[in-house]
Amino acid sequence: MNRILPMKQVRRNQGFLRGGLRCLAVIPAVLMLAGLHAPPPCFSKSKWGGERLLEDRNARWQITARHLSYNAKENLYTAKGDVTISKGDNFLFAERAMYNEKTGIVQVTGDVRLESHGDLITGETGIFDLKSHYGQLTRGHIFLRENNVHIRGSSMMRIGPETYVVRGCRVTTCDGDRPAWSITGSEVKITLEGYGYVKNAAFRIKNFPVFYLPYAVFPVKTKRQSGVLPPRVGYSDRNGGEIEIPIFWAISENTDATFYERYMTRRGFMQGLEYRYLARDGSKGTFLLDILRDKVERKDLSDPKEADLSPDPRTNKTRYWLRGRADQEFPLGVNARLDADFVSDQDYLKEFMGKMYGYQARPDLVDFSGRPMDDTYSPLRRSTLRLSRDGENYSLQGQTSYYQRPENPPDDETPQPLLGLAFAGLPSPIEDLPLFYEVGASHDYVWREKGVKGHSIAFSPELTYPFRLGRYLELEQSLAFDSDVQWMDGNTGGNDRQSRAAYESKTRISTILEKTFDIHWGDARRVKHKFVPSLTYTYRGYNDEDRYRPWFEPIDEKGKINTLTLTLENLLDARMENEKGERSYAQWGTFSLSQAYDLHEARRDEEPWRGKQPFEPLTAVLTLTPSPDLDLKSEFQWDHYEDQVTLADLSFEFRVPRSGGRKDSFSVDYLYEKGVTNSLSYHLDLNLTEGFSMGTSVRRDFDRGDALENSYYLDYTAQCWAVRFTVKEEDDSSSFMVTFRLLGLGNLPEK
């Protein structure tokens, strides 16, 4: 059984009205802090610094005052002038305090103030029973620094072990006597780990009520709470007006669920469900399902907008998308990784994946699991379950995968690797020999609806011999053998069995040249440049290659290899020292050039229609990370014979720190592969003056000659509220959205 961890920060977005009322639940903790759970202090008379000190070395609280008197007949202590009651980081101040030693009741009056860990409580008068732990604070004001929450009440009382009453209550995160917004209630009754009841609840802008409930009930939990999350509203010309109301359900300490109630005027009602769990051993999972009974039953291919989604027809009325990620730890060191992705039709994601809803209104599964998802325009959706166990010198894995074709073709020839087993032994030394060995083995079973299906078994041992040539050169020799046997199920119309054996030999000679430079740039004190040139010869040949044909795509077909490769690699490593002399290291960048020469191609006979092309594309790879706010990764390939770039992959992100923890950011992703894709996307966020910020993002396909998506936003953030205007165009569909946020009580997703 897994030991369970509480999910402490599963949901920060608590509904604006429910979130405000929930803030009232902090009042019990504050009143306890004010002394209700403290034992009666022991008083003694002494003088220190001109003040009378009431203290005992064994007492938990200390009380100081300018004047102190004691009435032995009534067992009453009276403290006047700059009264301070303290314990650790908690301080209670007042102008006057009276403590009845017999009843355990203490009264404080005049500028009552309690400070604790940056939070502040003030009031006119207070009375606390230190024996029963009951009490009352009049005209109280509570300030919680973390979210800048202000809570005011004409009276705050504890009337039972876990029950509190606040009259004339007002909650806001705005400073000042006339807040921009507030939530008020004439009377709030709270029972911890139970429910709260509020009379005449109102949401106010300035002092004007814009939303009113004569009576409301809300949960009061010290843990996560079930309830309604902030709604989302918007409009698009494809779906019409739409509203989505999420409902959060805290099932247990380690599980929760969110129901997304979404209605679109042109498409109908969509039900969404999100389920999550978290365990102490690191196991976790998130699963999401959205299902719609679409008003648009049949796709109109005569409409250009519909045809642009895909050229395939759609006749299904029930539409859905199921996806999820799970990482599960099992006994004996077995790890399970599940990726689920199944969609009802080929157009669903393009119609409902918009940033304000679809992907972005739900958890980002890529961030959650660290594993990629198939692109929206991918022709396949992949679902995979992988079991693995890693030892000190081996890795054992089992895997099953299913590739869905969302257009559901009548004769689906997609190969499905339903069962795969793989063993990999890590390089290990051979005793008394300067050799290392490793071995790999695998079994795959592939099924498909139409076409060849069957089994494949592969076995691949390898020997490596590394040694030095003199003082500067390193030589590494390796020899590998690959054996692959395949047999097919059913009538294949020919041989139902075939095998292949391949030999691969690799020789690599290299050296390392390095130099260290002293610098003074920020915290950097030294930079080391490493230059690693290497020359590698690789030969791979087959037995009976002409009779062997791989019969399903997941098997990697390397083919014959007879190449000589020159690689020039540069590495830049930095050593930093802070003001305390603490050292840290970082790799600022790498740059490599690689050129391969195909000896098979150079030796073949000249053909009149095609000349020899032994030089493979020149490959350059550059990465730069000189600071946490700059990240560049790029790869380019140059074809010598076509005299042009055939591959360019560039990713660049730059951030500029601003005041208040904000950052401007700019990112670009460009991908070009000749005959395959030519696309660009960029994202820009700028923090302007006076609380304004703006941003834009674009995804463009140069081969199609149009933008896949354009979005723009303008945001204004005040001290306690914010509003964002967003315009988006995607696949000839436009949408506009206005989002309001009450800061400190939970925010809507921003992007």
Side-chain angles (χ1 to χ4, degrees):
M1 295 294 292
N2 293 324
R3 298 183 65 190
I4 302 304
L5 275 179
M7 301 174 70
K8 295 182 178 179
Q9 295 182 344
V10 173
R11 282 287 178 226
R12 290 182 298 174
N13 297 334
Q14 308 297 327
F16 74 91
L17 179 58
R18 186 182 65 84
L21 296 176
R22 191 171 66 89
C23 288
L24 300 176
V26 303
I27 295 172
V30 170
L31 293 179
M32 294 178 194
L33 190 59
L36 294 184
H37 280 181
C42 297
F43 297 96
S44 63
K45 297 182 180 181
S46 64
K47 291 185 178 181
W48 178 74
E51 297 183 342
R52 296 181 182 270
L53 177 65
L54 307 179
E55 68 169 349
D56 187 299
R57 292 183 179 180
N58 298 321
R60 296 186 180 182
W61 291 85
Q62 295 180 341
I63 302 178
T64 64
R66 292 190 177 276
H67 304 283
L68 174 67
S69 62
Y70 176 68
N71 187 326
K73 183 178 180 180
E74 298 182 2
N75 295 319
L76 185 65
Y77 289 89
T78 302
K80 299 180 181 179
D82 297 333
V83 178
T84 301
I85 305 174
S86 63
K87 173 189 173 185
D89 294 332
N90 306 321
F91 296 89
L92 175 62
F93 304 96
E95 287 300 316
R96 180 183 176 92
M98 299 179 63
Y99 172 67
N100 191 307
E101 188 176 29
K102 184 176 181 180
T103 63
I105 294 177
V106 60
Q107 300 180 47
V108 289
T109 58
D111 194 20
V112 177
R113 188 172 80 258
L114 173 65
E115 297 178 3
S116 176
H117 303 287
D119 298 334
L120 177 65
I121 309 163
T122 61
E124 289 187 357
T125 63
I127 180 170
F128 308 113
D129 188 332
L130 299 181
K131 293 183 178 180
S132 66
H133 301 161
Y134 297 167
Q136 178 176 347
L137 185 68
T138 61
R139 297 194 180 277
H141 174 207
I142 302 172
F143 172 67
L144 305 180
R145 184 178 299 276
E146 181 178 359
N147 288 326
N148 204 71
V149 178
H150 296 267
I151 305 172
R152 299 179 185 272
S154 58
S155 68
M156 303 176 179
M157 297 177 289
R158 184 178 188 187
I159 61 175
E162 301 293 345
T163 303
Y164 303 82
V165 174
V166 181
R167 294 191 174 95
C169 182
R170 184 176 73 178
V171 179
T172 184
T173 60
C174 304
D175 295 334
D177 295 331
R178 298 188 68 235
W181 66 265
S182 63
I183 300 171
T184 62
S186 61
E187 181 177 291
V188 181
K189 186 177 181 180
I190 299 168
T191 300
L192 290 184
E193 299 304 326
Y195 291 90
Y197 305 88
V198 58
K199 298 179 181 178
N200 300 312
F203 174 70
R204 299 174 181 268
I205 296 179
K206 290 297 183 179
N207 200 36
F208 183 78
V210 296
F211 184 79
Y212 173 78
L213 286 175
Y215 191 77
V217 180
F218 59 96
V220 181
K221 309 287 184 180
T222 58
K223 304 173 184 177
R224 295 168 299 126
Q225 300 179 28
S226 303
V228 179
L229 305 180
R232 303 176 178 94
V233 294
Y235 176 84
S236 67
D237 53 11
R238 184 184 299 277
N239 301 328
E242 50 187 310
I243 181 171
E244 183 179 73
I245 302 176
I247 302 174
F248 177 66
W249 178 22
I251 303 174
S252 67
E253 286 189 345
N254 69 307
T255 60
D256 63 43
T258 304
F259 299 89
Y260 297 91
E261 315 300 315
R262 180 180 179 186
Y263 181 76
M264 297 165 282
T265 57
R266 296 182 182 176
R267 311 310 290 264
F269 176 75
M270 176 184 287
Q271 177 65 65
L273 171 64
E274 170 195 348
Y275 172 80
R276 306 191 307 168
Y277 74 90
L278 176 67
R280 182 177 297 275
D281 61 3
S283 299
K284 60 181 180 178
T286 295
F287 297 92
L288 300 103
L289 171 66
D290 291 284
I291 186 167
L292 165 71
R293 190 72 170 170
D294 201 341
K295 291 182 179 180
V296 182
E297 299 185 22
R298 185 178 297 272
K299 181 179 179 180
D300 183 6
L301 288 174
S302 64
D303 185 345
K305 291 184 178 180
E306 296 296 309
D308 283 344
L309 291 174
S310 73
D312 301 306
R314 180 188 65 79
T315 59
N316 56 304
K317 186 173 182 179
T318 301
R319 310 182 67 187
Y320 55 86
W321 184 24
L322 172 66
R323 65 274 192 205
R325 291 286 190 271
D327 297 346
Q328 186 67 44
E329 305 295 326
F330 289 105
L332 303 178
V334 176
N335 303 320
R337 302 291 181 264
L338 173 65
D339 296 353
D341 192 343
F342 199 84
V343 70
S344 60
D345 56 80
Q346 73 280 354
D347 296 336
Y348 181 96
L349 299 182
K350 301 171 188 177
E351 291 185 272
F352 302 110
M353 68 159 284
K355 284 191 174 181
M356 291 300 167
Y357 299 94
Y359 282 123
Q360 298 300 322
R362 311 292 194 265
D364 190 325
L365 295 181
V366 176
D367 290 341
F368 174 82
S369 65
R371 302 190 292 273
M373 287 192 68
D374 293 318
D375 184 75
T376 306
Y377 294 88
S378 173
L380 297 174
R381 313 303 300 177
R382 179 183 61 89
S383 298
T384 298
L385 172 63
R386 180 172 64 89
L387 300 175
S388 64
R389 189 184 191 281
D390 296 329
E392 292 184 359
N393 53 7
Y394 73 90
S395 176
L396 180 63
Q397 296 190 15
Q399 180 170 298
T400 180
S401 299
Y402 180 76
Y403 293 85
Q404 181 206 6
R405 295 279 296 272
E407 72 274 19
N408 192 25
D411 296 320
D412 191 354
E413 298 184 2
T414 305
Q416 308 291 350
L418 297 184
L419 176 62
L421 298 172
F423 172 84
L426 302 180
S428 302
I430 299 178
E431 189 175 357
D432 299 329
L433 292 176
L435 297 176
F436 291 82
Y437 75 93
E438 57 183 295
V439 63
S442 65
H443 169 265
D444 292 285
Y445 174 72
V446 173
W447 175 91
R448 50 183 151 193
E449 184 177 317
K450 182 179 181 181
V452 178
K453 47 185 174 287
H455 301 260
S456 173
I457 293 180
F459 177 70
S460 53
E462 181 176 352
L463 285 175
T464 303
Y465 176 39
F467 63 96
R468 300 188 67 88
L469 290 175
R471 183 177 178 182
Y472 299 103
L473 295 179
E474 294 181 356
L475 184 68
E476 183 175 280
Q477 181 87 33
S478 65
L479 179 64
F481 172 77
D482 291 337
S483 177
D484 192 356
V485 179
Q486 300 176 352
W487 67 95
M488 295 68 159
D489 291 342
N491 184 9
T492 62
N495 294 331
D496 61 357
R497 183 185 179 90
Q498 63 177 355
S499 63
R500 174 186 64 173
Y503 302 88
E504 181 172 314
S505 174
K506 185 179 296 185
T507 302
R508 181 178 185 268
I509 185 169
S510 63
T511 187
I512 299 178
L513 304 175
E514 59 183 40
K515 185 174 179 61
T516 301
F517 302 90
D518 293 328
I519 65 171
H520 290 277
W521 184 36
D523 290 340
R525 293 297 175 263
R526 286 192 174 184
V527 171
K528 177 183 289 187
H529 174 227
K530 291 183 181 180
F531 177 58
V532 186
S534 64
L535 187 65
T536 305
Y537 173 70
T538 305
Y539 178 82
R540 182 181 179 88
Y542 295 89
N543 290 339
D544 301 327
E545 181 188 13
D546 294 337
R547 294 189 301 154
Y548 180 87
R549 293 293 181 268
W551 52 270
F552 67 91
E553 292 132 321
I555 289 183
D556 183 23
E557 175 60 38
K558 295 182 179 180
K560 287 184 177 180
I561 301 175
N562 189 10
T563 60
L564 192 63
T565 305
L566 174 64
T567 302
L568 305 176
E569 188 175 11
N570 296 266
L571 301 97
L572 200 63
D573 299 324
R575 190 188 80 184
M576 276 77 69
E577 293 184 13
N578 58 22
E579 296 178 353
K580 298 180 180 179
E582 298 171 336
R583 295 181 179 181
S584 61
Y585 299 86
Q587 188 168 84
W588 277 3
T590 64
F591 176 66
S592 67
L593 284 173
S594 179
Q595 177 62 66
Y597 185 79
D598 190 335
L599 297 174
H600 275 317
E601 176 70 9
R603 294 172 180 173
R604 72 173 176 83
D605 295 334
E606 189 77 33
E607 299 174 349
W609 57 87
R610 184 171 68 93
K612 295 181 180 180
Q613 298 181 355
F615 286 99
E616 297 185 0
L618 175 67
T619 301
V621 178
L622 172 67
T623 65
L624 287 176
T625 53
S627 77
D629 294 316
L630 177 62
D631 189 2
L632 184 146
K633 299 177 182 177
S634 61
E635 179 179 356
F636 297 90
Q637 289 186 0
W638 174 266
D639 192 299
H640 300 279
Y641 305 100
E642 296 186 7
D643 199 25
Q644 63 177 325
V645 174
T646 55
L647 173 68
D649 188 354
L650 174 66
S651 173
F652 174 77
E653 185 171 2
F654 179 60
R655 297 168 291 274
V656 179
R658 302 284 295 275
S659 61
R662 301 175 302 160
K663 286 188 177 182
D664 294 339
S665 65
F666 175 70
S667 62
V668 174
D669 290 286
Y670 175 71
L671 178 60
Y672 168 75
E673 187 174 359
K674 185 180 178 181
V676 178
T677 184
N678 187 13
S679 62
L680 171 73
S681 63
Y682 69 82
H683 192 95
L684 175 67
D685 288 297
L686 291 176
N687 288 283
L688 308 177
T689 60
E690 305 297 332
F692 284 94
S693 62
M694 61 178 295
T696 180
S697 64
V698 171
R699 290 194 301 127
R700 183 175 295 276
D701 189 325
F702 294 105
D703 291 336
R704 290 178 50 177
D706 58 3
L708 300 177
E709 178 184 320
N710 291 332
S711 65
Y712 311 90
Y713 78 84
L714 176 65
D715 190 284
Y716 174 73
T717 302
Q719 184 264 323
C720 58
W721 62 277
V723 60
R724 172 170 291 197
F725 302 88
T726 305
V727 178
K728 183 175 64 175
E729 298 176 354
E730 181 180 13
D731 289 327
D732 297 323
S733 177
S734 301
S735 62
F736 173 79
M737 177 168 288
V738 181
T739 305
F740 292 94
R741 309 191 302 279
L742 304 182
L743 305 184
L745 296 187
N747 302 330
L748 294 174
E750 297 185 357
K751 301 179 182 67

